[in-house]
Structure formats: structure tokens, C-alpha cells
Amino acid sequence: MIKPEAQIHIKNLRLRTYIGFNESEKQNKQDVVINAWIHYPASQAYDTDNVENAVNYRTICKEMIAHTESNRFLLLEKLTADLLELCMTSNNVTFAKVEVAKPHALRFADSVSLTLSATREQ
């Protein structure tokens, strides 16, 4: 029996937050670009066509926005880990990966990003 795994991708979520440890970074919001990949077994969702059996990506996205915009972070690692935890909240999520990028953080580079992932033991 085939058990397809859904792959949700929240792509290029552009937000502003306080991130960094330099004085200018502590005083001025900066742009961040967030990408998240969320995997879960989809068969129950498509068999029943019931939203209760699916991962609600809208809810996850709203939580990511609220958390990012209402907090301050010294490190990309902290923001990325927090967002990964939000993605893993649903018990049927089997894998999640989050990338957070800071555009123009380095001279001559488009951005600097950090990626974290987690797998739920089955």
C-alpha cells in the first residue's frame, strides 16, 4: 500500500524583526526571509477531504509571523529553532526544515541564512 507524504513549502515569507547583537541591529528592525518545509502523511487528509486530518499551514504561518515580529533575537539560530518548533507542533508532522535568511547581512552577498531540521521518531 502506498502512503504518500505531503510536503508543504511556505516560500519566501518576508518579515521584519529585531535580529542581531550589534547596536544598530538592536535598534532597527531588519528584513528576514523565511522558508519552511513540513512533511506529513497525507492519505487520511485526501481520503476524507477533512481539514482536521491535514496540517493547517495557515495557522503555522500566522504563528510564525506573530512570533517573529513580536520578539527580539540575537542569533539566527534562536529564531530558526523557534520557528522549527512551531512547524513540529502538530503530532502528524514527520519532518520539518526551516531556513531564515538575512538579506544584505554581508557585503557582496545577497543574504546569509541558517537552516535547521527535525525528524519525529515514528
Side-chain angles (χ1 to χ4, degrees):
M1 172 184 260
I2 297 172
K3 293 187 176 185
E5 180 134 306
Q7 297 180 16
I8 297 168
H9 183 193
I10 298 171
K11 192 172 190 173
N12 296 331
L13 178 61
R14 298 175 193 282
L15 303 175
R16 293 184 57 75
T17 192
Y18 294 100
I19 186 158
F21 47 85
N22 296 327
E23 279 310 309
S24 64
E25 294 173 317
K26 290 180 179 180
Q27 294 174 9
N28 301 299
K29 283 190 172 186
Q30 296 180 69
D31 294 329
V32 291
V33 180
I34 299 164
N35 281 280
W37 295 263
I38 303 163
H39 297 196
Y40 75 100
S43 59
Q44 194 173 14
Y46 66 70
D47 280 346
T48 63
D49 200 24
N50 184 339
V51 70
E52 298 299 319
N53 296 324
V55 171
N56 191 329
Y57 54 82
R58 184 176 183 188
T59 299
I60 293 170
C61 190
K62 284 182 173 184
E63 290 171 349
M64 292 172 82
I65 292 168
H67 185 77
T68 301
E69 292 184 338
S70 65
N71 288 288
R72 292 175 175 262
F73 308 92
L74 294 177
L75 300 173
L76 275 173
E77 288 85 347
K78 173 61 173 158
L79 172 57
T80 308
D82 289 356
L83 298 177
L84 180 62
E85 188 174 324
L86 289 174
C87 291
M88 293 295 293
T89 301
S90 177
N91 287 334
N92 57 347
V93 170
T94 57
F95 171 84
K97 179 170 77 170
V98 175
E99 175 192 48
V100 178
K102 281 178 64 174
H104 314 294
L106 290 176
R107 190 174 178 198
F108 305 120
D110 291 340
S111 67
V112 170
S113 69
L114 180 90
T115 304
L116 293 174
S117 63
T119 302
R120 177 169 279 117
E121 298 298 323
Q122 299 277 332

